[in-house]
Amino acid sequence: GLASATAFDHIPLTDDYVPFEHQAGGQPPKAFQLPWLASAKDVTLDHLNADTPIIIKDSLTTRPPRFRTFDAAGSELGDILSTMKACLHVGRFERAAALMQRLNSLYKTDSPALLAAHNDYIRESALKIASTRDQHLLNNLQKWFEVEMRGRGILPNATTYAFMIQAVLQDVSAGKSNRSIRRYLHLAEQGGFRDKLMNALLRVLNEQDFGRVTRINTPEPILPTLPTAPDGEVGALLTMSNRLRSELPQVRPVDQDLAGWRALRQSLSVFSEPSDTLILDSAESTPEDKAKRLDIERQLRMEQDTYESAVERWRTDFEQLKRLGINSALNHNSFGAMMWNWHGLLEPAIREEIKLANEAEGKDVRSKVDEERCQYGPFLQYIDPGKLSAITILTLMSMLGTSRSGDRGCAITSTVMRIGDAIQDESITEYLKTNRVHHANLRGIPLAADVRKLAMGLKRTGNISAQALEGQQWSKPVKARIAAVLLSKLIETAKLRVFRKDPETGSILEASQPAFLHRWVYDNGRRIGMLSLNGSMYDHLARDPVAASLTQKYLPMVIEPKAWVSFREGGFLTSTEPLVRLPQSDEQSRRYITVAVDNGHMSQVTAGLDVLSRTPWQINGPVFETMLEAWNSGQAIGKLAPDNPDIEFPPEPAREDRPAHFKWLKAVRRISNEKAGYKSDRCFQNFQLEIARAYLNETFYFPHNVDFRGRAYPMSPLFNYMGADICRGLLTFGVGKPLGSSGLKWLKIHLANVFGYDKASFEERVAFAESHLDEVFDSANKPLDGQRWWLEAEDPWQCLAACKELRNALNSPDPHSFVSKLAVHQDGTCNGLQHYAALGGDTIGARQVNLEPGDKPSDIYSGVAELVQEGIEKDAQQGNEIARSLQGKITRKVVKQTVMTNVYGVTFMGARLQVAKQLMDLYPDFPKTVTVNYQGAAYYIAKKIFQALANMFNGAHDIQYWLGDCASRIATAVTPEQMQRAEAAMAGTLDEAAEFNKIPIRARKGERGHKSEILAFKQSVIWTTPLKMPVVQPYRQLSSQRVTTHLQMISLQNPSVADPVNKRKQLQAFPPNFIHSLDATHMILSALQCEKQGLTFAAVHDSFWTHASEIETMNRVLRDAFIKMHSEDIVGRLRSEFMVRYKDCMYLAGVKAPSPVSKRITEWRGKFSRLPNLKKQLDSIYVDELILERRRLKLLASENPEERKEGEEMVTPYSIFEQSEGEADLAVDESITETALGNVSATRENKLQANEKLTVGDEDNIGSVDTTLDGDVGVLDQHDDEETLAELAEPSGTTAQARKRRQDENRKTWLWRPLSFPPVPKK
């Protein structure tokens, strides 16, 4: 329902308990006493009680009910509500009121969803009244409150009265306003929620209005001090920066007529403008105030509206052509002018469409076209038509410019949804701006008040915005209809001037053609609508990454980012980017995160992100100068893409020689792709160098947010420290620290690491640096004119930065006093395996991933390579032909990628492809015979790698298996609420319209109906990280919905919490996602403690950065945080949380069919009489048995002895299972074995072996290769497709017997049993 977002069970956590400190002396439990664990100090987590997790009961969520269409607002409740809000937003109050009356007629008066709808109506009206002071609208709202709410018996709550008070504060009659306020306060007091009303008012009203209502002064929070300039005038500082920049050459652009490049240059122009054009001077302003104002103004300028900026650039290009006497805006040689022309035609077309939509609303009799216009008309008015035009053009050109399909274009469905999402995002931004202190005020009031005003505005609007955002989400059909209208108008209006040479006369012919083509293609038998660009424009679009225009507002910040205070308040000053990166369709995750943030559970996550965001950065000037010179030369130097790569196409052979011609075509395609890759890389690097040049001599910051597992990422996509070697080599910390007693050593170690000499002991790495001092000095002094030793490094630009830093330190009078800003890295050793080794207590594995101290770091990749090589040698001695071909060829590089990704869920097929790629790269002359080839060797090596990992990490193997088993049970479970509803359906007492006055329309044919939804498996795997962040796995079976639009009928994938989960993905993704969440926890903990210790800190997941002098301190922090985490029983606490979260659920368990317990259950079922007409009530298997088992368990738990006796005498499949102690007979889900570390399931191995037999040297059998190895399977699928391929792996003559044996082995008997979780494996 509409109110389900706030329907959650939660018990507030107490804060008087410090986790991980409950064991005496802070020592790990005895079961975890390993030699590499030591006691940790000063690293704490907020209290996390596994017995009180956040639980949102949404298992009864179904597809939104549909009613007969009213007033062209759609038939689904969500669409009616969205249309009502849009009408309010654009001033269509009469229609909004009519839609609310429609909701009144549908819902019963006590429905929470109806109250939420009325609150939305009152909130939107109050916001409109607050911005316009419309007295007529205010009177209508008060009448609505009395007649349509209270008069109908709908009881208001605190939120209702808060918005009513916000509205009546705008009454021009102070006396009337005060009387209304007193009345609403009195009504709230009568309702028993006056305190809640005051809290709601605190979030809704500004300080003046809140004081008027409460007569209480609200304390003003103060933001952290903004960065200030050093002593001296701001103008002098700015002039110095500009002078230094002006002394450097410009960055040689890939193409000076690129819209994306010019957009970036425009955004960066704030760094070169005089200060008096950016700030308003005043006599009383101090230099420090000027500096702060300058930084704020520059940041706001960089965050200015992306779409308005784009339109301004297009207009400038057009006017420039006009000044040159070129009046052809359709000439695509000027991309910006051409888009300005499109914009000039599209904007009035949108305005005309809005006019027609408004006229359609006023008609008594509407045509089908009028009805459609009434559906999307209010949404078109949500945003200014000019901005709608720019969004449509930019988003479409961005998609076409990045399309992997080349001139094939983009699918209409994906194009429409991308434009719809962009419009939705902009509408949310506009909505939040109406609830926020306008940042333009920062220019006109004293600075101290600026900061307090901004802080108060953020605090007051944070929670109310989070609540309102749920209602601002539009459905996919709504977005599709809006976007399809805009796209169709663009296709109609956008033209292009094309020139062609007449083949007969040689004259140049000129014609106007459509810029975009809507056509149909067939793909695997499906008819798909495609949108492609006029072919004459693709060359230009390939050179101009228009997508970069959409990311200009996300440049690094020149002031400290905003602290995170709510789901969409933090980071950039004006952006509404969320705290957690989630797909718009992932409503379940968004609800959990919003509840957690609003209740303060994620305070440590947000505090950790704020620490990362406050880390100051600067551009490494000397490295930039070298990189700029190398770039402008156009050569491929140190991973810079060459300007004109010297790659020649081979001569074309005769077409009659078909094999040779086929190979030539493949070579041409490969070279073309390689050249296109260089071009793309150079364009992106061009942007990065432009940013670096603009930020020279600036101190800047990277705001951060997290993904759904809690892993932190910078929010500046074009340029950040998580980028490649080029970005990392250009960056230093914004503050420096003396090297001190140990810093010089760590600087030398860092040099060895970035060079690639990182597997030796620390002493050997120091010796490496000292033995290459001549090369270091030569690289630092003559990077491009000397020996170029630094270019031999694994990370050349980071190596050059280290060379220059080490040279400067050694040339200083006292190297230990040298102030270094270089970020020195400490990388984890296969961090996922480190967590698994700790969870499983694997001492051998722990040693391999450096959890034990040693003089020389262990290398897990080399260790696995050695084990694989040992196995190959044994097989070779026994005559294995593939093993003989691989002798001496197993290097660290061959196994590294597979070892690294195995812990994160790589499938065996994926591992085989990884190994095959490495073999092809390293050994191009490897045999290609029928018996020995890349694919066969890759299969052989991948199996050896998996076996080696299973032997080294047997405890981790058990943990992974346990995690997969838990996920399998959860994904096939039903909740008590579902079972209760099933009982009502079986008894014929299910009220399908419990909260409605009218019965919803039945689901259309082909859509999932209400019957099958009752007992669908909807339970996602949900857990809480040690930082109290809820993690919801979003994997569900995708349902589709067909929507008629202006362009065509489109089929939308519309995932919802009402859809069943995808069991296979839930199961296979859980172990790696759980490890990622622990990895993220460790990083955030380390960030918080490093700040407490006074360290400058940054991290790239499992790579941790600080100053050279602080490395040893940071290492202690990292170690202590890791020990603190794993001293706690993490997996045991996870099990406890699962027991609470999924309490009283039942799941469908499988028992091996040949077992005795299976036979007894089958015999019982033969005698058990199923209830009549059951299938007519529910479309689920064994529902009668589920209801019977639920009754038995209730009787057994009764305090009445007679009822307990009745329960004990009942016989059910689960009681038979219990009596037979059938745990050993439980069937293992095939997917569980695939999640275990280093494990290859028997069925999958048969499939792979069969594929090997088909693919090796037999092109005729290509079509028989099984491509479903990694596909999804249903809950009760029996993998029938596996049998055919498995037969091919059997010796000839045994096919029939093999099939019979496999059928017997795979057969299962299903039964319902209470959802419990197996004991945690012992370490």
Side-chain angles (χ1 to χ4, degrees):
L2 296 174
S4 60
T6 56
F8 70 98
D9 289 344
H10 169 63
I11 302 174
L13 303 180
T14 60
D15 291 324
D16 56 353
Y17 174 79
V18 179
F20 300 170
E21 295 289 342
H22 61 281
Q23 295 150 358
Q27 294 296 324
K30 290 184 178 179
F32 205 71
Q33 292 278 357
L34 295 179
W36 42 273
L37 280 180
S39 62
K41 299 178 181 179
D42 209 24
V43 180
T44 61
L45 292 169
D46 284 347
H47 174 45
L48 173 61
N49 190 341
D51 295 333
T52 58
I54 293 175
I55 300 175
I56 299 177
K57 294 184 177 180
D58 51 14
S59 63
L60 293 184
T61 303
T62 60
R63 283 283 167 186
R66 283 198 294 266
F67 299 89
R68 298 193 181 280
T69 301
F70 172 81
D71 199 16
S75 58
E76 291 189 359
L77 287 172
D79 291 345
I80 297 174
L81 189 62
S82 296
T83 305
M84 181 269 292
K85 292 179 181 178
C87 289
L88 286 171
H89 185 80
V90 302
R92 313 293 293 183
F93 299 109
E94 292 183 2
R95 188 180 179 199
L99 292 172
M100 270 306 310
Q101 288 172 341
R102 170 65 169 168
L103 293 173
N104 279 338
S105 69
L106 295 178
Y107 281 107
K108 294 179 179 178
T109 56
D110 59 351
S111 168
L114 181 59
L115 175 59
H118 274 280
N119 285 344
D120 288 333
Y121 178 86
I122 294 173
R123 177 182 62 238
E124 297 296 331
S125 299
L127 290 173
K128 197 72 176 179
I129 293 168
S131 62
T132 63
R133 296 183 67 85
D134 187 328
Q135 300 302 295
H136 178 69
L137 180 57
L138 174 59
N139 292 333
N140 285 342
L141 179 60
Q142 289 180 291
K143 181 180 178 181
W144 176 274
F145 174 76
E146 299 296 342
V147 176
E148 297 295 337
M149 274 198 75
R150 299 185 72 238
R152 289 178 175 269
I154 302 169
L155 299 179
N157 59 10
T159 302
T160 314
Y161 287 119
F163 288 122
M164 287 303 301
I165 290 174
Q166 182 186 30
V168 298
L169 281 166
Q170 309 306 317
D171 198 320
V172 294
S173 171
K176 183 181 176 184
S177 174
N178 292 339
R179 287 193 299 272
S180 297
I181 292 171
R182 280 194 294 270
R183 180 168 182 270
Y184 296 145
L185 290 173
H186 176 68
L187 290 173
E189 188 167 5
Q190 283 186 329
F193 46 78
R194 177 163 178 155
D195 290 342
K196 290 184 178 179
L197 172 58
M198 301 310 294
N199 288 330
L201 288 171
L202 179 64
R203 296 192 300 267
V204 171
L205 303 180
N206 59 34
E207 290 180 74
Q208 182 179 357
D209 290 339
F210 186 75
R212 177 180 168 185
V213 174
T214 65
R215 302 182 183 277
I216 298 175
N217 292 323
T218 302
E220 295 182 335
I222 299 177
L223 284 181
T225 303
L226 292 172
T228 62
D231 292 339
E233 289 293 330
V234 177
L237 174 63
L238 187 63
T239 303
M240 179 187 69
S241 299
N242 288 341
R243 185 177 67 250
L244 292 175
R245 270 191 288 268
S246 65
E247 293 172 358
L248 291 171
Q250 295 290 328
V251 178
R252 174 182 170 185
V254 175
D255 188 333
Q256 293 191 17
D257 191 32
L258 301 184
W261 178 80
R262 285 183 289 108
L264 179 64
R265 290 292 296 271
Q266 178 177 332
S267 297
L268 296 174
S269 64
V270 298
F271 293 107
S272 57
E273 294 182 12
S275 58
D276 56 0
T277 66
L278 293 171
I279 60 177
L280 297 175
D281 200 3
S282 60
E284 64 274 11
S285 295
T286 65
E288 291 76 13
D289 283 352
K290 290 181 181 179
K292 294 175 183 178
R293 288 181 182 279
L294 174 62
D295 288 339
I296 291 173
E297 182 65 29
R298 291 195 299 178
Q299 185 60 41
L300 290 172
R301 284 279 299 275
M302 285 192 294
E303 293 183 27
Q304 67 182 339
D305 191 283
T306 302
Y307 304 109
E308 292 177 358
S309 300
V311 172
E312 180 61 24
R313 288 193 302 274
W314 302 341
R315 184 190 62 79
T316 302
D317 287 352
F318 179 83
E319 291 181 351
Q320 183 178 2
L321 284 181
K322 197 172 181 180
R323 285 195 299 270
L324 295 174
I326 303 174
N327 295 319
S328 175
L330 298 181
N331 189 333
H332 56 79
N333 287 328
S334 176
F335 217 31
M338 181 177 58
M339 287 193 282
W340 169 257
N341 180 268
W342 296 348
H343 175 69
L345 296 172
L346 179 58
E347 182 179 354
I350 295 173
R351 294 187 185 277
E352 179 63 22
E353 187 65 26
I354 291 173
K355 177 183 176 183
L356 293 174
N358 290 336
E359 292 175 354
E361 286 188 16
K363 293 180 179 179
D364 295 330
V365 179
R366 297 170 181 164
S367 65
K368 185 177 180 180
V369 174
D370 290 333
E371 290 286 335
E372 291 177 355
R373 284 189 168 125
C374 289
Q375 285 183 340
Y376 58 72
F379 297 95
L380 283 182
Q381 301 173 66
Y382 217 98
I383 302 172
D384 179 76
K387 185 172 288 187
L388 283 175
S389 171
I391 291 173
T392 306
I393 295 171
L394 272 177
T395 306
L396 175 59
M397 297 305 291
S398 171
M399 286 193 69
L400 291 170
T402 58
S403 172
R404 297 180 180 179
S405 304
D407 56 5
R408 188 166 178 251
C410 300
I412 287 289
T413 299
S414 58
T415 305
V416 162
M417 292 316 302
R418 181 76 68 85
I419 295 173
D421 287 342
I423 296 171
Q424 164 84 99
D425 290 341
E426 190 63 24
S427 73
I428 291 176
T429 300
E430 294 290 335
Y431 177 83
L432 290 180
K433 283 180 179 179
T434 64
N435 286 321
R436 169 189 291 153
V437 176
H438 199 283
H439 293 284
N441 292 338
L442 294 173
R443 304 182 182 99
I445 56 179
L447 184 71
D450 279 355
V451 179
R452 288 196 296 272
K453 182 85 171 180
L454 178 59
M456 184 60 68
L458 297 179
K459 182 176 177 117
R460 292 193 188 287
T461 63
N463 289 334
I464 197 68
S465 296
Q467 295 170 3
L469 279 178
E470 187 76 22
Q472 293 301 312
Q473 300 292 331
W474 300 338
S475 68
K476 282 196 172 184
V478 167
K479 289 188 283 188
R481 293 188 184 101
I482 300 167
V485 171
L486 297 172
L487 188 57
S488 66
K489 295 299 177 185
L490 179 60
I491 294 173
E492 292 171 9
T493 56
K495 303 297 180 183
L496 179 70
R497 182 158 295 172
V498 178
F499 300 91
R500 292 288 185 270
K501 185 176 182 180
D502 190 314
E504 297 181 0
T505 64
S507 60
I508 301 299
L509 304 178
E510 179 181 341
S512 176
Q513 294 183 356
F516 305 100
L517 306 175
H518 179 200
R519 56 197 179 87
W520 298 91
V521 298
Y522 287 88
D523 186 9
N524 293 327
R526 294 184 305 148
R527 188 169 179 253
I528 300 175
M530 301 293 293
L531 186 68
S532 58
L533 193 62
N534 191 300
S536 62
M537 287 187 61
Y538 266 105
D539 288 341
H540 190 105
L541 189 59
R543 299 195 309 271
D544 190 353
V546 178
S549 299
L550 301 177
T551 59
Q552 305 309 314
K553 65 194 298 184
Y554 302 119
L555 291 168
M557 297 182 66
V558 293
I559 64 172
E560 284 190 7
K562 286 187 320 195
W564 283 102
V565 296
S566 72
F567 183 70
R568 283 190 182 267
E569 291 286 352
F572 293 102
L573 293 183
T574 60
S575 169
T576 57
E577 290 299 304
L579 169 67
V580 182
R581 303 179 179 198
L582 299 171
Q584 286 196 349
S585 59
D586 190 3
E587 56 184 293
Q588 189 178 26
S589 293
R590 188 172 61 252
R591 289 174 180 175
Y592 269 91
I593 293 296
T594 301
V595 170
V597 173
D598 288 350
N599 285 277
H601 287 195
M602 290 180 59
S603 58
Q604 283 195 300
V605 173
T606 56
L609 291 176
D610 293 341
V611 169
L612 296 172
S613 301
R614 286 195 299 267
T615 297
W617 297 89
Q618 290 180 347
I619 297 298
N620 190 325
V623 172
F624 175 76
E625 291 183 26
T626 302
M627 191 179 295
L628 182 60
E629 183 180 352
W631 171 267
N632 287 343
S633 72
Q635 300 177 27
I637 298 175
K639 298 183 180 179
L640 290 176
D643 192 8
N644 293 300
D646 187 16
I647 307 175
E648 299 294 334
F649 288 102
E652 182 178 4
R655 292 182 176 269
E656 292 75 15
D657 189 351
R658 295 188 63 184
H661 198 266
F662 178 74
K663 289 182 179 180
W664 175 80
L665 288 174
K666 288 182 64 176
V668 169
R669 189 179 303 115
R670 177 183 56 80
I671 293 173
S672 298
N673 289 338
E674 187 176 357
K675 285 190 171 185
Y678 281 130
K679 189 73 171 180
S680 176
D681 290 344
R682 191 162 177 89
C683 287
F684 189 67
Q685 291 169 358
N686 193 169
F687 289 152
Q688 292 175 325
L689 286 172
E690 285 288 355
I691 294 172
R693 189 179 190 281
Y695 279 83
L696 278 174
N697 309 301
E698 300 286 345
T699 298
F700 52 91
Y701 306 85
F702 298 112
H704 288 69
N705 60 3
V706 296
D707 66 9
F708 78 99
R709 300 160 301 187
R711 304 193 93 188
Y713 295 88
M715 297 166 65
S716 304
L718 290 179
F719 187 79
N720 62 69
Y721 63 91
M722 284 192 182
D725 176 56
I726 291 173
C727 283
R728 296 186 183 190
L730 284 172
L731 289 169
T732 68
F733 288 132
V735 294
K737 292 188 177 181
L739 288 177
S741 59
S742 63
L744 187 61
K745 178 189 77 171
W746 286 108
L747 185 57
K748 294 175 181 177
I749 292 172
H750 176 71
L751 173 63
N753 289 342
V754 294
F755 191 84
Y757 189 74
D758 56 346
K759 300 300 176 285
S761 68
F762 291 140
E763 288 74 14
E764 289 171 332
R765 281 180 258 183
V766 170
F768 171 86
E770 292 176 345
S771 65
H772 289 86
L773 285 180
D774 290 342
E775 290 87 347
V776 168
F777 275 78
D778 180 78
S779 297
N781 295 327
K782 298 181 292 182
L784 298 178
D785 301 324
Q787 304 171 18
R788 295 192 175 191
W789 174 78
W790 61 280
L791 288 177
E792 301 174 17
E794 190 173 292
D795 298 308
W797 291 107
Q798 292 175 77
C799 180
L800 178 61
C803 288
K804 289 180 178 293
E805 195 80 351
L806 183 57
R807 180 220 34 205
N808 294 341
L810 295 177
N811 283 343
S812 66
D814 179 10
H816 297 296
S817 301
F818 174 75
V819 177
S820 172
K821 293 184 177 181
L822 193 68
V824 176
H825 313 166
Q826 294 287 282
D827 295 345
T829 304
C830 202
N831 202 246
L833 282 175
Q834 287 182 329
H835 285 291
Y836 267 126
L839 292 173
D842 290 312
T843 53
I844 296 176
R847 189 178 305 119
Q848 288 292 331
V849 290
N850 293 310
L851 292 182
E852 278 194 352
D855 296 332
K856 184 176 181 179
S858 298
D859 179 21
I860 179 65
Y861 311 116
S862 298
V864 171
E866 291 173 4
L867 289 177
V868 171
Q869 188 60 50
E870 290 175 7
I872 287 175
E873 293 297 333
K874 291 180 182 178
D875 291 347
Q877 292 175 6
Q878 297 174 5
N880 186 307
E881 192 172 354
I882 293 180
R884 288 178 176 175
S885 68
L886 291 170
Q887 285 181 298
K889 291 184 172 63
I890 305 302
T891 64
R892 179 180 184 274
K893 189 171 184 180
V894 171
V895 305
K896 180 178 179 179
Q897 187 179 13
T898 302
V899 173
M900 186 185 305
T901 56
N902 187 276
V903 69
Y904 294 122
V906 68
T907 62
F908 189 87
M909 173 64 78
R912 191 186 70 167
L913 295 175
Q914 291 171 347
V915 174
K917 182 178 183 303
Q918 295 299 331
L919 291 177
M920 292 176 187
D921 292 343
L922 294 172
Y923 307 109
D925 298 327
F926 193 78
K928 300 179 181 64
T929 65
V930 172
T931 56
V932 179
N933 52 65
Y934 285 123
Q935 298 301 323
Y939 166 81
Y940 175 81
I941 295 172
K943 188 174 179 182
K944 293 287 185 185
I945 294 173
F946 275 47
Q947 291 171 348
L949 287 172
N951 292 333
M952 295 170 69
F953 296 90
N954 52 3
H957 178 281
D958 294 340
I959 293 292
Q960 271 192 323
Y961 187 93
W962 183 88
L963 293 172
D965 192 7
C966 292
S968 176
R969 298 183 183 203
I970 293 169
T972 53
V974 293
T975 65
E977 294 78 20
Q978 287 178 287
M979 289 183 277
Q980 183 177 358
R981 194 168 186 182
E983 289 175 338
M986 194 168 69
T989 60
L990 178 63
D991 185 0
E992 299 181 33
E995 60 176 334
F996 301 110
N997 291 318
K998 299 183 179 182
I999 302 296
I1001 299 173
R1002 297 291 187 186
R1004 294 191 181 95
K1005 185 178 180 180
E1007 294 185 347
R1008 188 174 291 109
H1010 73 289
K1011 292 181 180 179
S1012 61
E1013 284 187 337
I1014 292 178
L1015 283 181
F1017 298 140
K1018 299 180 182 180
Q1019 293 297 293
S1020 294
V1021 180
I1022 304 172
W1023 70 97
T1024 308
T1025 73
L1027 295 175
K1028 296 202 285 190
M1029 174 179 173
V1031 180
V1032 181
Q1033 292 201 145
Y1035 317 113
R1036 294 184 178 272
Q1037 296 178 20
L1038 297 179
S1039 58
S1040 60
Q1041 181 178 2
R1042 297 178 70 83
V1043 178
T1044 302
T1045 71
H1046 258 54
L1047 288 168
Q1048 63 178 61
M1049 178 79 75
I1050 62 177
S1051 180
L1052 300 177
Q1053 286 188 340
N1054 196 13
S1056 164
V1057 70
D1059 294 324
V1061 296
N1062 185 317
K1063 178 187 174 183
R1064 188 184 186 93
K1065 288 185 178 179
Q1066 288 281 344
L1067 191 159
Q1068 293 188 338
F1070 179 40
N1073 283 340
F1074 181 69
I1075 294 300
H1076 276 307
S1077 71
L1078 293 183
D1079 197 21
T1081 296
H1082 176 249
M1083 193 278 288
I1084 293 293
L1085 275 179
S1086 302
L1088 292 171
Q1089 186 62 22
C1090 281
E1091 185 187 49
K1092 188 174 182 179
Q1093 299 277 350
L1095 275 62
T1096 303
F1097 180 82
V1100 183
H1101 304 317
D1102 59 351
S1103 177
F1104 309 97
W1105 301 8
T1106 192
H1107 291 95
S1109 60
E1110 305 289 0
I1111 285 292
E1112 293 176 1
T1113 303
M1114 184 184 73
N1115 285 346
R1116 284 194 297 271
V1117 169
L1118 298 175
R1119 185 167 57 250
D1120 288 350
F1122 189 89
I1123 293 171
K1124 275 291 184 181
M1125 282 180 57
H1126 289 286
S1127 294
E1128 180 77 1
D1129 187 4
I1130 293 176
V1131 183
R1133 187 176 57 204
L1134 175 67
R1135 183 179 184 275
S1136 298
E1137 180 184 342
F1138 281 169
M1139 295 295 288
V1140 175
R1141 184 177 296 282
Y1142 303 105
K1143 183 181 179 182
D1144 297 330
C1145 290
M1146 302 275 282
Y1147 83 102
L1148 203 60
V1151 178
K1152 298 173 185 175
S1155 64
V1157 65
S1158 172
K1159 293 179 180 178
R1160 290 186 59 192
I1161 292 173
T1162 303
E1163 292 173 0
W1164 176 86
R1165 282 178 176 155
K1167 302 175 183 178
F1168 178 61
S1169 175
R1170 283 184 166 75
L1171 296 177
N1173 299 324
L1174 180 65
K1175 286 294 180 180
K1176 295 181 181 179
Q1177 298 292 337
L1178 295 171
D1179 300 332
S1180 300
I1181 66 168
Y1182 307 133
V1183 180
D1184 45 356
E1185 294 181 8
L1186 172 64
I1187 304 306
L1188 186 67
E1189 183 60 42
R1190 176 174 163 85
R1191 171 173 170 75
R1192 185 180 79 91
L1193 293 176
K1194 283 184 177 180
L1195 291 173
L1196 291 175
S1198 173
E1199 296 181 358
N1200 187 326
E1202 294 182 0
E1203 291 184 349
R1204 287 201 303 273
K1205 183 179 179 181
E1206 181 184 352
E1208 291 168 356
E1209 293 175 352
M1210 290 178 66
V1211 180
T1212 64
Y1214 181 55
S1215 70
I1216 296 172
F1217 177 86
E1218 284 184 305
Q1219 294 170 5
S1220 304
E1221 297 181 353
E1223 290 289 341
D1225 293 323
L1226 283 175
V1228 177
D1229 192 300
E1230 177 70 18
S1231 298
I1232 296 178
T1233 60
E1234 296 169 15
T1235 66
L1237 188 67
N1239 191 78
V1240 185
S1241 65
T1243 303
R1244 174 145 303 198
E1245 186 169 353
N1246 285 336
K1247 295 175 77 175
L1248 290 166
Q1249 289 175 349
N1251 276 352
E1252 285 305 312
K1253 293 189 176 185
L1254 288 172
T1255 56
V1256 175
D1258 191 354
E1259 294 184 0
D1260 294 334
N1261 284 329
I1262 283 293
S1264 302
V1265 176
D1266 182 13
T1267 60
T1268 62
L1269 287 169
D1270 296 303
D1272 298 332
V1273 295
V1275 172
L1276 298 177
D1277 286 351
Q1278 295 298 308
H1279 306 283
D1280 294 333
D1281 61 311
E1282 296 177 356
E1283 296 175 4
T1284 303
L1285 287 173
E1287 293 164 8
L1288 296 172
E1290 298 288 340
S1292 59
T1294 63
T1295 300
Q1297 298 93 321
R1299 182 187 301 115
K1300 181 67 168 59
R1301 184 173 64 253
R1302 286 180 50 74
Q1303 288 176 347
D1304 291 340
E1305 291 174 353
N1306 288 339
R1307 211 168 64 241
K1308 299 172 186 175
T1309 298
W1310 300 97
L1311 68 132
W1312 292 102
R1313 64 178 300 201
L1315 179 55
S1316 60
F1317 299 94
V1320 175
K1322 294 183 178 180
K1323 294 182 184 294

